[in-house]
């Protein structure tokens, strides 16, 4: 009996990464496909092409230089309801390279979430303005049925961020405006997956244990706060036409959390004990170039190119508090991803404005081998529509809708622990937004 207890402990370098799987998959849970661009309820209808329009206080987030274009104090409250839906079809997933992995398809992949935001803009002098924004720039919510075929890769993945962004803007000349802000960001994550103790025991020769027949589970919760900055410029190239550039810095987090294990067979208790764990997480910098053009007094055209530097996720290392559990790392090899947006605004009367927009959004996932169950991301096309109602001289209500046509994708992801997830994903997203803007 002693030898059987000692055997898995001597094999820690091989099997300890079971404990780290859920953390090592974290950057995939925070992928570019789940970077939340819906920080404004009106811009959703333009597929977020409207950064250079600077028409309300949310310019704090998209380009703080636009604050000086607002002629009076303004408060904006917005919310977007994001509904991700998806299905997985197994294509021959295996365990230990030989055994078919049993289990269902996982049910509906996505979870619906509300993304809120608040903004305040206050002109201080003719050439100076102050702004404050509270938003959620990154997030994710996916969940699978217990016992599905990819349970060793993911069960639940959830990320929530809060970003507090004070900013100031200065009109440097009649045509040039500059802005800068500080970003305080809080990140919280909850991640879980099953652990195939049957496979571990089978490989160690523990009697009665076979792959897929002795599942346990691990759940990780971690959080951290970090700081960053954003800077922007707007230049009016001609009357009614301006170009904007904006840079939002990365934020480097050190997620400190707790790893809780359930269903651990007695021989593996020394390895899979509840413990603290730490993992670095970099939420990437964003660079944007935007354009706004009045075609006529009633029509305006806008465009935007924004890119996220997701290539920072080459790998993620994990540090476990228990010295018996070796640190682990996992390759990701993500690539930078961009979104290309085009929007049109038509003011049909003093009270009503109509909006529409399209966008092409790249995924940072390079191929099927790097696509994971935590975020089975793919390229997508946005289509947005919206309406603004100016119901008084100081107040406006915006309502927007966007549908994301996501490209069907394949996954062939090896977790490095004996489980190969093979199959196809079909996803779609609908977003509905509402916004109230009040000038005072």
């Amino acid at each position: 009996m002693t030898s059987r207890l000692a055997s898995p402990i001597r094999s820690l370098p091989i099997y300890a990464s079971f404990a780290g799987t859920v953390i090592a998959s974290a950057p995939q849970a925070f992928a570019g496909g789940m970077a939340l661009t819906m920080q404004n309820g009106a811009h959703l209808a333009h597929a977020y092409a409207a950064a250079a329009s600077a028409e309300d206080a949310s310019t704090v987030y998209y380009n703080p230089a636009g604050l000086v274009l607002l002629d009076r104090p303004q408060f904006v409250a917005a919310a977007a309801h994001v509904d991700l839906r998806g299905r997985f079809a197994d294509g021959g997933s295996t365990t230990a390279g030989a055994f078919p992995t049993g289990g269902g398809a996982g049910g509906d992949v996505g979870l619906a979430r509300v993304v809120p935001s608040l903004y305040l803009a206050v002109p201080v002098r003719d050439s100076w303005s102050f702004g404050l924004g509270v938003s959620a720039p990154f997030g994710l919510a996916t969940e699978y049925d217990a016992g599905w075929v990819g349970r060793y890769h993911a069960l639940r993945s959830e990320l929530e961020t809060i970003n507090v962004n004070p900013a100031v803007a200065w009109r440097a000349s009649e045509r040039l405006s500059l802005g800068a802000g500080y970003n305080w960001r809080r990140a919280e994550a909850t991640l879980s997956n099953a652990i195939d103790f049957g496979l571990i025991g089978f490989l160690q020769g523990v009697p009665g244990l076979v792959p897929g027949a002795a599942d346990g589970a691990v759940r990780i919760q971690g959080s951290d706060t970090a700081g960053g900055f954003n800077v922007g410029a707007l230049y009016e190239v001609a009357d009614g036409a301006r170009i904007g550039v904006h840079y939002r810095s990365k934020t480097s987090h050190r997620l400190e959390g707790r790893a809780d294990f359930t269903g651990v067979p007695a021989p593996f208790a020394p390895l899979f004990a509840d413990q603290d764990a730490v993992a670095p997480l970099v939420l990437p910098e964003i660079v944007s170039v935007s354009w706004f053009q009045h075609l006529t007094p009633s029509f305006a055209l806008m465009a935007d190119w924004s890119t996220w530097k997701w290539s920072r996720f080459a790998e993620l290392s994990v540090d476990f508090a228990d010295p018996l559990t070796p640190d682990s790392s996992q390759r990701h090899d993500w690539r930078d991803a961009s979104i290309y947006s085009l929007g049109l605004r038509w003011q049909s009367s003093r009270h009503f404005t109509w909006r529409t927009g399209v966008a092409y959004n790249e995924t940072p996932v390079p191929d099927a081998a790097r696509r994971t169950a935590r975020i089975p991301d793919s390229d997508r096309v946005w289509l947005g529509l919206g309406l603004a109602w100016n119901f008084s001289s100081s107040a406006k209500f915006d309502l927007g809708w966007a549908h994301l046509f996501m490209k069907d994708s394949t996954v062939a992801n090896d977790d490095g622990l004996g489980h190969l997830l093979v199959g196809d994903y079909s996803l779609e997203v609908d977003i509905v937004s509402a916004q109230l803007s009040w000038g005072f």
Side-chain angles (χ1 to χ4, degrees):
M1 184 65 175
T2 303
S3 62
R4 294 198 185 282
L5 288 170
S7 178
I9 296 175
R10 287 198 300 266
S11 301
L12 284 174
I14 299 175
Y15 300 118
S17 54
F18 272 95
T21 301
V22 71
I23 302 181
S25 299
Q28 297 159 356
F30 310 141
M34 283 300 172
L36 300 177
T37 55
M38 59 290 297
Q39 307 306 312
N40 169 291
H43 291 183
L44 172 68
H46 294 311
Y48 294 96
S53 67
E55 66 178 271
D56 60 47
S58 68
T59 192
V60 170
Y61 181 86
Y62 294 102
N63 190 334
L67 285 167
V68 297
L69 301 184
L70 305 177
D71 58 4
R72 60 179 172 177
Q74 186 185 63
F75 173 76
V76 169
H81 182 268
V82 184
D83 184 13
L84 167 66
R85 304 176 303 280
R87 295 288 176 180
F88 173 77
D90 184 46
S93 300
T94 59
T95 296
F99 307 101
T101 305
D108 190 350
V109 172
L111 293 174
R113 285 292 184 268
V114 175
V115 182
S117 55
L118 297 171
Y119 301 97
L120 177 67
V122 180
V124 179
R125 297 180 180 176
D126 289 343
S127 58
W128 289 91
S129 291
F130 169 80
L132 177 66
V134 181
S135 60
F138 295 87
L140 168 73
T142 59
E143 187 173 30
Y144 297 86
D145 295 340
W148 82 292
V149 69
R151 59 193 177 276
Y152 307 120
H153 296 254
L155 288 173
R156 185 179 182 91
S157 306
E158 188 168 12
L159 168 69
E160 294 180 350
T161 60
I162 299 175
N163 192 78
V164 180
N165 185 183
V168 63
W170 172 50
R171 190 184 296 274
S173 69
E174 188 174 332
R175 293 189 178 273
L176 177 65
S177 301
L178 304 174
Y182 174 79
N183 290 266
W184 176 91
R185 184 172 294 165
R186 174 77 173 176
E188 297 183 358
T190 299
L191 305 169
S192 67
N193 59 259
I195 302 175
D196 192 354
F197 289 113
L199 175 59
I200 302 175
F202 177 78
L203 295 176
Q204 290 293 294
V206 179
L209 292 182
V210 295
D215 285 358
V218 59
R219 184 172 184 261
I220 297 290
Q221 289 183 298
S223 62
D224 183 52
T225 58
F229 67 92
N230 62 315
V231 293
L234 279 173
Y235 184 75
E236 191 171 353
V237 296
D239 291 343
R242 55 182 170 267
I243 187 171
V245 294
H246 181 242
Y247 174 82
R248 182 172 296 278
S249 74
K250 67 180 181 181
T251 53
S252 299
H253 293 270
R254 176 181 165 87
L255 291 178
E256 298 184 356
R258 184 73 179 168
D260 297 314
F261 297 90
T262 57
V264 182
F268 308 108
L271 173 60
F272 296 97
D274 295 349
Q275 60 183 284
D276 294 332
V278 176
L281 169 67
V282 178
L283 295 175
E285 57 266 55
I286 307 169
V287 178
S288 300
V289 179
S290 53
W291 175 267
F292 179 84
Q293 171 76 61
H294 271 294
L295 302 177
T296 71
S298 300
F299 283 93
L301 181 69
M302 55 210 75
D304 182 276
W305 167 78
S306 296
T307 188
W308 284 259
K309 194 173 178 60
W310 286 110
S311 58
R312 291 189 174 277
F313 288 119
E315 66 176 5
L316 178 66
S317 59
V318 180
D319 180 18
F320 295 98
D322 191 334
L324 290 177
T325 307
D327 297 341
S328 64
S329 65
Q330 188 177 41
R331 297 294 303 178
H332 300 286
D333 298 324
W334 288 62
R335 61 190 179 191
D336 297 344
S338 298
I339 181 171
Y340 308 86
S341 305
L342 185 66
L344 182 67
R345 188 181 75 193
W346 172 42
Q347 186 170 345
S348 61
S349 69
R350 183 168 60 92
H351 294 290
F352 293 100
T353 301
W354 303 85
R355 310 176 189 273
T356 188
V358 295
Y360 176 70
N361 195 172
E362 299 173 336
T363 177
V365 179
D367 51 42
R370 297 302 183 193
R371 183 168 288 109
T372 71
R374 294 206 180 279
I375 176 165
D377 198 40
S378 63
D379 293 343
R380 70 210 67 183
V381 174
W382 293 59
L383 173 62
L385 297 170
L387 170 66
W389 174 34
N390 294 274
F391 56 88
S392 78
S393 61
S394 60
K396 180 177 67 171
F397 179 74
D398 276 275
L399 187 64
W401 165 83
H403 182 79
L404 279 61
F405 301 87
M406 299 190 69
K407 183 180 179 181
D408 290 348
S409 60
T410 60
V411 59
N413 182 251
D414 188 342
D415 66 357
L417 308 170
H419 303 102
L420 177 65
L421 182 65
V422 179
D424 300 295
Y425 276 98
S426 177
L427 305 172
E428 62 179 352
V429 181
D430 280 291
I431 307 171
V432 177
S433 66
Q435 175 175 303
L436 178 64
S437 306
W438 177 50
F440 53 94

